[in-house]
Amino acid sequence: MTVTALVAPTVTDYEASVDLATLVVRTAHDEQVELAAEQLRLACKCAHCTRARFDGRFPERFPGIAITGIDDLGYGLNIAFSDGHNRGIYPKNYLLRLAGH
């Protein structure tokens, strides 16, 4: 009997694109996915952004937003953006879900 285990891809590497408009993520399955900076900024789940959504103050778009910094926290990435926002922590499995995995 053959048992096939389904193993979720894990993030092994990442970088911002040259133009800072995209986060490029590589997985242990040799996949590469790209997430637009605007998509990431809109998907931030930090307390500040969650409260702004609740209060109806969260923007619907972030045109021209760029990634200005990435810190690896082990389980996730802390991503800073050109609008000054740097509170968002994106768990690596959340990044893959945002990319459709």
Side-chain angles (χ1 to χ4, degrees):
M1 178 168 94
T2 302
V3 176
T4 303
L6 296 177
V7 178
T10 56
V11 173
T12 58
D13 194 22
Y14 58 88
E15 66 184 346
S17 62
V18 174
D19 65 0
L20 305 177
T22 305
L23 177 68
V24 179
V25 177
R26 290 174 199 76
T27 73
H29 293 188
D30 292 325
E31 292 178 285
Q32 178 173 303
V33 295
E34 297 183 2
L35 296 154
E38 183 176 32
Q39 177 188 6
L40 292 167
R41 184 65 183 87
L42 287 167
C44 183
K45 292 188 175 199
C46 78
H48 175 79
C49 291
T50 299
R51 184 65 199 200
R53 280 186 196 90
F54 182 78
D55 291 342
R57 298 180 291 107
F58 195 77
E60 291 182 18
R61 296 203 55 231
F62 288 93
I65 194 92
I67 296 169
T68 59
I70 306 169
D71 289 317
D72 193 333
L73 305 176
Y75 71 96
L77 303 179
N78 175 230
I79 302 174
F81 297 94
S82 58
D83 66 350
H85 187 70
N86 62 359
R87 299 178 184 183
I89 298 173
Y90 298 79
K92 291 175 180 175
N93 62 350
Y94 181 52
L95 290 170
L96 294 175
R97 282 197 321 264
L98 288 173
H101 284 77

